[in-house]
């Protein structure tokens, strides 16, 4: 899947606030007719881009007509197109344009090629394009960069980095941030960063670190190969505190890191880093570790990553195939990762890793992961998380879909003296087996909470849906799993829901509250070491009607038992205000169970107004109801007719002479949601509903 890249950058004018100087446009045309070219017009254009770069000064523009350009006519592998700070270089012209907006790089490909000497890559240029210490008004726009071959081992003047393009820091320009727009990096090779390598390069120990932070927009990285890390691009070293590396509207297609990490992107030793990847496509990138991205954190690294509106399709790795983040086991790392409105589809790992998200971190890791509005479909397992001792980790999953996820959706290993808070809100889980597994060592604090989630067509024939193992039973106060306002529908209603690794502490710390399950109630003792794990209020052996499960529509059907079944306190405490569709989470008196909120209440109003105009709600106790109920809130001496309807609107019970002291027998009612109407002898009308256990 390849998107159309917008290459008409003239439609998007760029404004700069730097000091204005006289701007000169220098023209380059491979087929220039000039006998003595000086670059002053198309008719006098330089046939060689190197001549234009030599002549250009900061503030100038270079317009390059369609054609293929090499850095040298000879065989010098060190030759490159060396960008100048403040110079803007544009490709995609035919050789007649008078306005920048007239060009069309799609129709007029302008190729910068490292193919020199004999055919093939071994003697090609180390870097097709090179830049050092470039300012923020430096632009490279509208080129195809191919055929670079940076194969030298060791640093050795960076001849193993950046086959397509190498950007370096410079003490003279401590914060380098050029713009690379509408460029295609293809068929480049390097030991690191085959398409593009970005390196801070502390060239002089006395100068300290320098920052290189380009802006990448509407670029494509395709079929680049790195021997070690970063098939598409690689970024090494620190960034300006508070600044962000932007990668926007870019495609990473079929790139490969052969022996290392990051088929698409690789980041290493970032400090004070913020990386924002927006509206990008990553497809069929492969690596030993991290098919799409791999981040190797250094000692004391502080990094934040945002992936927004991205598509990650069919990426592959022997480790973690999607986004992989690792560090040395002795490393203190602070990490924030936000994945927002992305789509992961058919990603796979061949080893013990996980297809989409993978974390292997050291001691004292401080991790905050948020995944919101994201769909995971047809991936073989989703996430694995391992960390060292004394770590603090928070995971928040909200409004996410997990569909057909293979064997195990997520697995965590939490070592001694660490804490983990794991929250799932409004999530949909379909056709998976083992949803979550958690291994917790001694002296840990762990709490996983599922609130208003829907689990449908769960295939856990041989495994538990929720698995956790505590290594020092009893550990029920420190290793906890709560399921609240959820719907759990298993293909095999007899299969296990949860299994603790230590059978003597089998269900401790596991609690289901106000949820609906189609399996039978498995617990005979409602307490474990005095802790209630199955309090009253759940519906067991109950099937939930969805609108269209065959087409992945797991919204509640009309008059489903899940309507109004939930506990409002759980969503209020979690700060949940909308459902998986983005609609209000509580539409009537009680929140619905599961990930979606129904827009109607089965055609029977919960608050019918009486003749005086007051909204009169009728409450019953207990609720959920067992064998009997009584009405709450009736005035002393009030009596009248009570009618009970099932969720299909069929009258199940009608009894006159009911008052606040009347005990109403509900033993004949089947489990489900019921609606009640009470009409007093004076004509007052009150309505409500209850759940029959």
């Amino acid at each position: 899947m390849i998107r159309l890249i917008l290459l008409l950058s003239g439609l998007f004018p760029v404004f700069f606030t730097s000091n204005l100087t006289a701007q000169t446009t220098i023209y380059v045309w491979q087929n220039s007719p000039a006998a003595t070219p000086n670059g002053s017009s198309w008719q006098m254009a330089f046939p060689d881009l190197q001549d234009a770069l030599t002549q250009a000064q900061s503030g100038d523009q270079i317009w390059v007509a369609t054609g293929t350009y090499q850095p040298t006519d000879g065989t010098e592998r060190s030759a490159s197109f060396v960008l100048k700070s403040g110079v803007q270089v544009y490709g995609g012209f035919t050789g007649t344009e008078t306005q920048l907006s007239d060009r069309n790089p799609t129709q007029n490909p302008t190729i910068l090629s490292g193919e020199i000497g004999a055919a093939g890559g071994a003697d090609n240029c180390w870097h097709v394009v090179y830049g050092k210490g470039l300012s923020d008004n430096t632009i490279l726009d509208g080129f195809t960069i191919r055929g670079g071959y940076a194969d030298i081992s060791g640093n050795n003047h960076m001849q193993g980095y950046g086959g397509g393009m190498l950007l370096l820091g410079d003490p003279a320009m401590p914060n380098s941030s050029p713009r690379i727009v509408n460029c295609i990096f293809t068929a480049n090779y390097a030991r690191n960063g085959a398409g593009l390598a970005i390196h801070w390069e502390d060239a002089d120990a006395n100068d300290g670190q320098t920052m290189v932070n380009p802006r990448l927009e509407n670029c494509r990285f395709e079929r680049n190969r790195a021997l070690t890390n970063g098939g598409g691009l690689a970024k090494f070293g620190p960034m300006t505190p508070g600044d962000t590396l932007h990668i926007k509207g870019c495609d990473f297609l079929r790139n490969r890191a052969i022996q290392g990490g990051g088929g698409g992107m690789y980041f290493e030793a970032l400090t004070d880093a913020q990386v924002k990847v927006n509206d990008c496509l990553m497809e069929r990138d492969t690596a030993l570790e991290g098919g799409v991205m791999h981040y190797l954190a250094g000692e004391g690294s502080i990094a934040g990553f945002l992936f927004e509106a991205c598509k990650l399709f069919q990426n592959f790795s022997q480790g973690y195939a999607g986004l992989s983040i690792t560090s040395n086991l002795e490393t203190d790392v602070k990490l924030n990762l936000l994945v927002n409105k992305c789509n992961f589809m058919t990603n796979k790992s061949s080893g013990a890793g996980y297809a989409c998200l993978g974390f292997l971190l050291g001691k004292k890791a401080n991790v905050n992961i948020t995944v919101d509005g994201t769909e995971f479909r047809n991936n073989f397992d989703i996430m694995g998380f391992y960390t060292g001792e004394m770590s603090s980790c928070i995971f928040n999953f909200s409004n996410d879909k997990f569909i057909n996820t293979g064997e195990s959706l997520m697995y965590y290993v939490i070592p001694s003296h660490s804490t983990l808070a794991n929250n799932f809100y409004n999530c949909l889980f379909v056709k998976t087996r083992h949803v979550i597994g958690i291994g917790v060592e001694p002296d840990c604090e762990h709490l996983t909470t599922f609130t208003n989630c829907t689990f449908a067509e769960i295939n856990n024939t041989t495994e538990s849906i929720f698995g956790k193992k505590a290594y020092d039973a009893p550990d029920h106060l420190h290793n906890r799993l709560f399921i609240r306002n959820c719907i759990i529908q298993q293909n095999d209603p007899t299969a296990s829901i949860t299994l603790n690794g230590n059978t003597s502490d089998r269900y401790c710390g596991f609690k289901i509250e106000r949820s609906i399950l189609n399996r039978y109630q498995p617990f005979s003792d409602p307490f474990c070491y005095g802790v209630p794990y199955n309090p009253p209020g759940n519906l067991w052996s109950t099937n939930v009607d969805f609108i269209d499960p065959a087409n992945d529509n797991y919204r509640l059907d009309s008059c489903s038992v899940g309507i109004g079944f939930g506990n409002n306190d759980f969503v209020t405490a979690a700060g949940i205000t909308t459902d998986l569709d983005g609609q209000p989470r509580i539409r009537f008196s009680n929140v619905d169970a599961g990930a979606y909120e129904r827009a109607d209440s089965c055609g029977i109003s919960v608050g019918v107004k009486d003749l005086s105009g007051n909204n009169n709600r009728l409450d019953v106790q207990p609720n959920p109801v067992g064998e009997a109920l009584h009405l709450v809130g009736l005035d002393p001496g009030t009596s009248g007719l009570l009618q009970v309807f099932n969720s299909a609107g069929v009258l199940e019970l009608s009894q006159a002479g009911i008052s606040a002291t009347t005990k109403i027998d509900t033993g004949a009612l089947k489990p489900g949601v019921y609606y009640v109407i009470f009409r007093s002898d004076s004509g007052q009308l009150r309505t409500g509903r209850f759940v029959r256990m």
Side-chain angles (χ1 to χ4, degrees):
M1 177 178 180
I2 301 176
R3 81 175 75 194
L4 177 63
I5 299 180
L6 297 176
L7 295 176
L8 299 178
S9 65
L11 298 178
F12 305 96
V14 181
F15 299 95
F16 301 102
T17 58
S18 57
N19 294 330
L20 296 178
T21 59
Q23 175 184 302
T24 299
T25 299
I26 305 172
Y27 298 85
V28 178
W29 186 12
Q30 191 176 49
N31 299 320
S32 173
T36 57
N38 58 21
S40 61
S41 67
W42 287 121
Q43 292 302 310
M44 297 298 294
F46 288 121
D48 191 340
L49 176 56
Q50 294 288 31
D51 293 330
L53 289 168
T54 300
Q55 180 174 299
Q57 302 296 319
S58 179
D60 289 346
Q61 290 187 357
I62 300 176
W63 292 12
V64 187
T66 182
T68 300
Y69 301 84
Q70 285 92 12
T72 178
D73 293 332
T75 59
E76 302 88 0
R77 298 191 66 196
S78 60
S80 299
F81 291 112
V82 180
L83 301 180
K84 283 188 174 180
S85 186
V87 175
Q88 301 167 23
V89 188
Y90 296 93
F93 297 90
T94 63
T96 60
E97 293 85 353
T98 59
Q99 301 292 328
L100 185 62
S101 58
D102 293 337
R103 72 189 182 120
N104 189 329
T106 301
Q107 295 181 6
N108 307 304
T110 309
I111 300 169
L112 307 182
S113 173
E115 180 66 53
I116 60 174
D123 64 348
N124 285 8
C125 295
W126 289 314
H127 326 291
V128 180
V129 181
Y130 174 90
K132 184 172 183 178
L134 301 177
S135 62
D136 60 2
N137 58 347
T138 307
I139 298 176
L140 184 70
D141 185 334
F143 291 90
T144 295
I145 301 169
R146 72 186 190 194
Y149 203 84
D151 61 334
I152 305 302
S153 62
N155 281 342
N156 195 19
H157 303 291
M158 299 295 168
Q159 292 164 4
Y161 292 78
M165 184 175 187
L166 175 63
L167 292 176
L168 297 180
D170 189 339
M173 179 65 68
N175 300 317
S176 176
S177 54
R179 290 184 60 210
I180 304 169
V181 186
N182 301 324
C183 287
I184 299 172
F185 296 81
T186 185
N188 297 288
Y189 174 86
R191 299 184 69 86
N192 292 283
L196 168 64
I198 308 161
H199 205 291
W200 60 276
E201 191 194 38
D202 184 5
D204 187 335
N206 296 324
D207 292 322
Q209 296 179 346
T210 59
M211 316 297 179
V212 189
N213 189 23
R215 269 64 171 162
L216 304 176
E217 302 173 35
N218 298 327
C219 292
R220 185 166 79 225
F221 295 81
E222 185 171 9
R223 295 181 184 273
N224 301 285
R225 295 181 305 121
L227 178 64
T228 309
N229 299 310
L233 69 84
K235 168 76 168 74
F236 299 85
M239 294 169 58
T240 305
D243 205 351
T244 301
L245 171 62
H246 288 275
I247 303 174
K248 182 177 181 180
C250 295
D251 294 342
F252 294 82
L253 310 173
R254 298 177 183 267
N255 301 287
R256 185 181 180 191
I258 301 170
Q259 298 177 3
M265 295 175 281
Y266 177 82
F267 302 93
E268 182 177 316
L270 302 184
T271 303
D272 294 322
Q274 298 292 325
V275 178
K276 183 176 182 180
V277 184
N278 180 266
D279 190 27
C280 291
L281 170 66
M282 298 85 166
E283 186 171 10
R284 298 190 180 186
D285 295 315
T286 63
L288 191 66
E289 194 81 27
V292 172
M293 184 201 84
H294 182 66
Y295 168 43
L296 179 60
E299 180 69 33
S301 291
I302 303 173
F305 290 87
L306 168 63
F307 282 78
E308 187 170 40
C310 292
K311 297 178 176 64
L312 297 87
F313 297 159
Q314 300 182 64
N315 300 289
F316 176 81
S317 175
Q318 294 184 28
Y320 301 115
L323 310 179
S324 171
I325 298 175
T326 65
S327 72
N328 184 283
L329 295 181
E330 300 298 324
T331 300
D332 178 2
V333 173
K334 293 183 180 179
L335 171 69
N336 291 286
L337 171 64
L338 171 59
V339 179
N340 184 41
K341 293 180 173 58
C342 293
N343 192 323
F344 292 74
M345 183 179 293
T346 322
N347 299 287
K348 187 176 180 180
S349 168
S350 66
Y354 287 75
C356 298
L357 303 170
F359 307 88
L360 177 59
L361 302 175
K363 293 181 179 179
K364 299 181 181 179
N366 189 317
V367 179
N368 194 320
I369 309 296
T370 299
V371 181
D372 182 42
T374 293
E375 181 171 326
F376 300 84
R377 183 182 292 267
N378 299 331
N379 301 284
F380 190 80
D381 302 343
I382 298 294
M383 189 185 82
F385 181 83
Y386 305 82
T387 186
E389 296 181 353
M390 297 176 286
S391 294
S392 175
C393 310
I394 300 175
F395 288 80
N396 289 306
F397 294 85
S398 58
N399 308 303
D400 301 314
K401 297 179 181 180
F402 304 88
I403 300 174
N404 196 21
T405 56
E407 296 292 329
S408 179
L409 198 150
M410 300 177 186
Y411 190 74
Y412 302 76
V413 174
I414 310 300
S416 300
H417 309 290
S418 296
T419 62
L420 168 65
N422 206 19
N423 304 301
F424 294 83
Y425 309 133
N426 296 337
C427 290
L428 174 65
F429 302 86
V430 178
K431 297 177 183 177
T432 187
R433 295 185 183 180
H434 184 63
V435 172
I436 189 169
I438 300 173
V440 181
E441 294 185 357
D443 300 316
C444 287
E445 292 288 339
H446 156 247
L447 172 61
T448 291
T449 303
F450 292 89
T451 305
N452 279 93
C453 294
T454 296
F455 303 83
E457 300 183 61
I458 304 301
N459 302 316
N460 64 315
T461 303
T462 59
E463 296 187 41
S464 59
I465 301 178
F466 311 101
K468 66 187 188 69
K469 181 175 182 179
Y471 295 93
D472 57 342
D475 195 28
H476 52 279
L477 297 179
H478 304 286
N479 187 22
R480 296 166 294 164
L481 176 63
F482 293 166
I483 300 171
R484 295 166 169 169
N485 292 354
C486 289
I487 296 172
I488 301 177
Q489 304 286 280
Q490 300 167 251
N491 288 344
D492 179 6
T494 66
S496 174
I497 293 177
T498 184
L499 175 64
N500 196 309
N502 190 318
T503 55
S504 67
D505 191 26
R506 185 175 182 124
Y507 295 110
C508 286
F510 175 72
K511 183 185 293 186
I512 301 178
E513 299 178 280
R514 206 65 175 182
S515 296
I516 306 172
L517 305 91
N518 70 331
R519 65 160 292 149
Y520 65 89
Q521 184 171 342
F523 311 123
S524 58
D525 181 3
F527 292 91
C528 184
Y529 296 103
V531 178
Y533 57 82
N534 180 34
N538 299 305
L539 277 180
W540 297 90
S541 302
T542 302
N543 293 318
V544 176
D545 294 326
F546 300 112
I547 291 178
D548 189 8
N551 292 300
D552 294 334
N553 188 344
Y554 292 91
R555 296 169 182 83
L556 297 176
D557 203 358
S558 177
C559 298
S560 171
V561 67
I563 297 175
F565 183 82
N567 185 325
N568 293 349
D569 291 340
F570 294 145
V571 297
T572 300
I576 303 172
T577 59
T578 58
D579 69 355
L580 182 52
D581 280 333
Q583 300 300 315
R585 182 68 262 194
I586 303 176
R587 296 195 182 192
F588 299 96
S589 58
N590 286 336
V591 65
D592 295 347
Y596 297 99
E597 196 77 11
R598 179 81 186 180
D600 59 66
S601 59
C602 198
I604 301 177
S605 175
V606 180
V608 178
K609 295 184 178 180
D610 66 5
L611 298 178
S612 65
N614 294 320
N615 195 3
N616 284 274
R617 174 181 169 179
L618 179 68
D619 290 323
V620 303
Q621 286 187 354
N623 193 2
V625 174
E627 298 295 321
L629 62 79
H630 66 274
L631 305 184
V632 179
L634 296 181
D635 295 333
T638 298
S639 64
L641 174 68
L642 177 71
Q643 294 177 303
V644 178
F645 298 84
N646 65 21
S647 60
V650 177
L651 181 66
E652 296 276 2
L653 176 66
S654 181
Q655 187 173 341
I658 300 297
S659 67
T661 60
T662 305
K663 182 179 180 180
I664 303 162
D665 185 6
T666 56
L669 299 180
K670 296 179 179 180
V673 174
Y674 291 85
Y675 298 85
V676 296
I677 298 177
F678 176 80
R679 186 182 300 274
S680 71
D681 296 336
S682 62
Q684 184 187 45
L685 191 68
R686 303 183 68 172
T687 66
R689 60 180 157 185
F690 65 86
V691 175
R692 171 69 167 92
M693 299 299 294

